[in-house]
């Protein structure tokens, strides 16, 4: 069960640096997006049965996104919110692949506790769900339900900006029972106050059974107890980093869910392979 946003991504590949007050050529495409939906689609493509719980508006964009989920093999538990617009994210991608995102979460902000079915084995919660007053209640309810059902739980902190605004201590309290936390290096530093990603990973692993910290071009770290495993990033010609973290999460979960006591290196490799495939082309999927 994945709980998180479903949205249209408007991916803008800039031909050069932004030109405030003037024009800049760009390649612009609309694609399926949303952090929760991205993870779910990648999981389905990797052969992991998955349901996505989320919301869309009563518009053509929403119905198209739900149809896309089904076509990818995801089971949608998606509520249509009357009068709301489906979420839209504009991703401005500079040469080299770095991106800035402008988010209108739309109907995603209407997610309610009753929208989330009880997970049967594992819950993955997108951190964005906890940041806004509307979907926060659904996120907390999903975490409580998963714990009561004896499920494993993974959570990603989503982004440093909203995480800092939400409050580190509050987020750590919200996610205290998570089995697996999946921050990037900047999020891990913010959550722990440790400048070194390895030290941050160890600090998070003191609070959770497993902490996985992504390092961008440097790969990723797996920390569990006293064990620390590093794998380098896979080679890729970077076009667009949009959704790389979501792809990594899905790749890692697909292996970890199949063998929770298996080789951490294999789980990291699966995540890094999926991320490398995504950054080599525009869009999050």
């Amino acid at each position: 069960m994945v709980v998180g946003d479903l949205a249209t991504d408007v991916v803008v590949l800039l031909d050069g640096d932004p030109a405030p007050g003037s024009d800049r050529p760009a390649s612009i495409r609309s694609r399926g997006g949303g952090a929760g939906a991205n993870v779910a689609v990648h999981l389905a493509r990797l052969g992991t049965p998955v349901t996505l719980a989320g919301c869309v508006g009563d518009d053509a964009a929403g119905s198209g996104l739900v149809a896309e989920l089904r076509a990818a093999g995801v089971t949608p538990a998606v509520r249509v919110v009357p009068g709301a617009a489906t979420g839209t994210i504009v991703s401005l991608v500079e040469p080299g692949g770095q991106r800035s995102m402008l988010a209108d979460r739309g109907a995603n902000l209407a997610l309610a506790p009753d929208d989330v079915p009880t997970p049967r084995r594992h819950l993955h919660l997108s951190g964005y769900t906890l940041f806004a007053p509307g979907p926060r209640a659904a996120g907390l309810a999903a975490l409580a339900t998963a714990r009561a059902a004896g499920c494993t739980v993974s959570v990603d902190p989503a982004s440093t900006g909203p995480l800092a605004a939400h409050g580190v201590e509050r987020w750590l309290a919200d996610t205290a029972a998570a089995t697996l936390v999946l921050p990037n290096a900047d999020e891990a530093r913010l959550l722990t106050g440790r400048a070194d990603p390895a030290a941050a990973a160890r600090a998070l692993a003191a609070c959770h059974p497993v902490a996985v910290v992504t390092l961008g071009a440097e790969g990723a770290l797996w920390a569990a107890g006293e064990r620390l495993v590093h794998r380098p990033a896979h080679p890729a010609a970077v076009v667009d980093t949009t959704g790389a973290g979501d792809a990594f999460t899905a790749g890692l979960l697909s292996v970890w869910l199949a063998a929770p006591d298996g080789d951490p290196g294999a789980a990291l490799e699966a995540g890094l392979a999926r991320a490398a495939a995504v950054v080599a082309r525009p869009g999050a999927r």
Side-chain angles (χ1 to χ4, degrees):
M1 175 71 63
V2 175
V3 178
D5 286 5
L6 177 60
T8 298
D9 276 358
V10 180
V11 181
V12 182
L13 296 178
L14 296 172
D15 183 13
D17 295 331
S22 186
D23 299 331
R24 171 67 69 195
S27 172
I28 304 174
R29 300 288 185 273
S30 293
R31 305 174 185 275
N38 292 339
V39 173
V41 167
H42 283 294
L43 281 169
R45 289 174 176 168
L46 289 165
T48 300
V50 58
T51 297
L52 174 73
C55 290
V56 293
D58 57 352
D59 49 24
S63 59
L65 290 173
V66 173
E68 186 179 9
L69 289 178
R70 288 196 176 97
V74 177
T75 300
V78 177
R79 178 167 62 92
V80 176
V81 182
T86 296
T88 301
I89 300 167
V90 178
S91 182
L92 302 176
V93 185
E94 300 176 31
Q98 190 55 258
R99 87 289 188 273
S100 301
M101 304 184 83
L102 308 172
D104 178 353
R105 296 180 65 191
N108 291 298
L109 296 176
L111 187 71
D114 289 346
D115 294 326
V116 183
T118 300
R120 287 184 291 178
R121 182 182 174 198
H122 182 82
L123 168 71
H124 176 72
L125 181 69
S126 169
Y128 287 110
T129 308
L130 297 173
F131 294 149
R136 174 174 165 76
L140 293 175
L143 289 169
T145 300
R147 289 195 296 267
C151 298
T152 51
V153 175
S154 56
V155 185
D156 71 80
S159 181
T160 54
L163 176 60
H166 181 77
V168 166
E169 295 303 323
R170 187 183 184 195
W171 192 88
L172 290 171
D174 289 345
T175 61
T179 315
L180 173 64
V181 291
L182 293 149
N184 64 27
D186 288 339
E187 293 156 1
R189 293 184 184 102
L190 179 60
L191 288 169
T192 64
R194 311 289 179 88
D196 176 58
R202 291 187 185 279
L204 288 168
C207 304
H208 303 276
V210 180
V212 176
V213 178
T214 55
L215 309 173
E218 301 303 316
L221 292 168
W222 173 292
E226 295 301 314
R227 189 175 188 185
L228 187 69
V229 178
H230 172 258
R231 288 292 184 272
H234 290 202
V238 178
V239 173
D240 177 13
T241 58
T242 304
D246 301 330
F248 174 87
T249 292
L252 181 136
L253 287 177
S254 70
V255 171
W256 181 73
L257 288 170
D261 297 322
D263 177 18
L268 290 174
E269 291 287 355
L272 292 165
R274 201 69 182 177
V278 163
V279 301
R281 58 182 186 267
R285 303 180 194 166

